[in-house]
Amino acid sequence: MAASLVWTCGFSNENQPVHKSRKYYEAHQDIVWEVPMEEKLIALTFDDGPNPKTTPEILDLLAENGAKSTFFVVGKRMERFPEVVRREALEGHEVANHTYSHLYFTKGVSRKRIVEELEQAQNQIIDLTGQNCQWFRPPGGFYTDTVVDTVRKNGYTVILWSWHQDTQDWLAPGVSRIVNKVLNNARNGDIVLLHDHVDGSTQTVQALRTILPELKKRGFKMVTVSELLRHRKPKT
């Protein structure tokens, strides 16, 4: 059913038609967009890597600012740059699943193919890092009810991002746009969408040189998705 398909990457999806609502998925904890909390914690997440140049630069900046993050990695790129993924884990970051081939999970993708993409990438993550993180981010933010159900049955939770924290850095919109998107909208419990691999662009790295120290100055602690979820505000 077309109504069960959502594409969240680069678009405001507040009015997108879905078969099951955000409220439903949040109530069942099948998809996480952000984490309500009192603490000043924020999760910077990076998609599509590893990249042999920009990912190490990002890791350097994270280390300088005492920040931890979650990297949603692509299997094919892990094969090319395994040492970068190992470094992510060794430095205390979380390495999570972003499929093997960066396949968009639109409604034509079978459950079998979804599982194959998940398993192939996850096996690589375990081999390289020893981590068995159960977070999954679908490429492009594409998901359907079938995708969410298949992912859940295989032990994963879909992690998306705060709608007000889609930096669109994959479009190389300009360093100031990336900086302003994050800093003008920073709230407790945010999950920020960034990319450590964008062909031909270093704008994300440049933006982080401003974003990281400023968030720190404002009292935010930058943590992994797992750490963020541990501080989820209990329902009343």
Side-chain angles (χ1 to χ4, degrees):
M1 181 182 294
S4 66
L5 175 64
V6 177
W7 184 21
T8 60
C9 187
F11 295 88
S12 171
N13 59 355
E14 294 184 36
N15 300 310
Q16 293 277 350
V18 293
H19 184 57
K20 292 189 175 105
S21 67
R22 171 170 173 168
K23 184 177 180 181
Y24 173 90
Y25 281 128
E26 285 185 320
H28 289 76
Q29 298 185 13
D30 289 333
I31 302 179
V32 177
W33 283 268
E34 57 209 7
V35 184
M37 65 176 60
E38 302 294 338
E39 295 92 340
K40 295 196 74 169
L41 304 180
I42 193 166
L44 305 181
T45 64
F46 297 91
D47 287 11
D48 295 358
N51 180 290
K53 180 179 186 296
T54 52
T55 306
E57 291 176 345
I58 288 169
L59 289 169
D60 289 344
L61 290 169
L62 292 171
E64 288 170 16
N65 290 276
K68 301 300 180 187
S69 67
T70 301
F71 289 87
F72 287 91
V73 293
V74 175
K76 284 187 174 180
R77 298 196 63 78
M78 282 191 280
E79 288 176 350
R80 295 177 62 192
F81 311 110
E83 70 287 348
V84 180
V85 181
R86 291 192 188 99
R87 180 182 168 188
E88 290 169 356
L90 285 170
E91 296 186 6
H93 303 288
E94 198 162 53
V95 182
N97 198 315
H98 199 43
T99 73
Y100 174 75
S101 64
H102 203 262
L103 176 70
Y104 286 158
F105 284 172
T106 54
K107 65 177 182 177
V109 179
S110 69
R111 287 180 183 265
K112 181 175 182 289
R113 182 68 190 278
I114 293 168
V115 172
E116 289 172 350
E117 287 280 333
L118 285 168
E119 287 184 347
Q120 195 167 357
Q122 195 72 5
N123 288 339
Q124 289 175 286
I125 291 170
I126 294 168
D127 288 345
L128 289 174
T129 70
Q131 296 184 14
N132 190 18
C133 178
Q134 296 303 299
W135 310 136
F136 170 68
R137 177 171 287 165
F142 280 108
Y143 68 89
T144 65
D145 292 342
T146 298
V147 169
V148 178
D149 182 63
T150 304
V151 166
R152 178 181 57 80
K153 287 178 177 175
N154 281 272
Y156 298 89
T157 299
V158 173
I159 305 293
L160 293 178
W161 53 85
S162 305
W163 285 342
H164 55 279
Q165 288 289 11
D166 180 357
T167 64
Q168 297 191 344
D169 59 339
W170 58 280
L171 291 171
V175 174
S176 62
R177 278 179 169 268
I178 299 168
V179 169
N180 291 336
K181 186 68 174 180
V182 177
L183 296 182
N184 291 346
N185 296 288
R187 306 173 192 171
N188 298 0
D190 277 356
I191 298 176
V192 181
L193 176 63
L194 296 155
H195 293 76
D196 58 321
H197 172 65
V198 180
D199 280 329
S201 174
T202 61
Q203 290 183 7
T204 302
V205 176
Q206 296 174 62
L208 286 168
R209 293 193 178 107
T210 299
I211 291 168
L212 291 169
E214 179 59 27
L215 287 175
K216 190 175 176 181
K217 180 181 176 183
R218 294 183 190 182
F220 282 101
K221 183 179 179 183
M222 290 156 277
V223 299
T224 64
V225 169
S226 290
E227 179 71 11
L228 201 71
L229 284 164
R230 282 195 284 271
H231 290 262
R232 186 194 295 269
K233 187 177 180 180
K235 292 183 179 180
T236 56

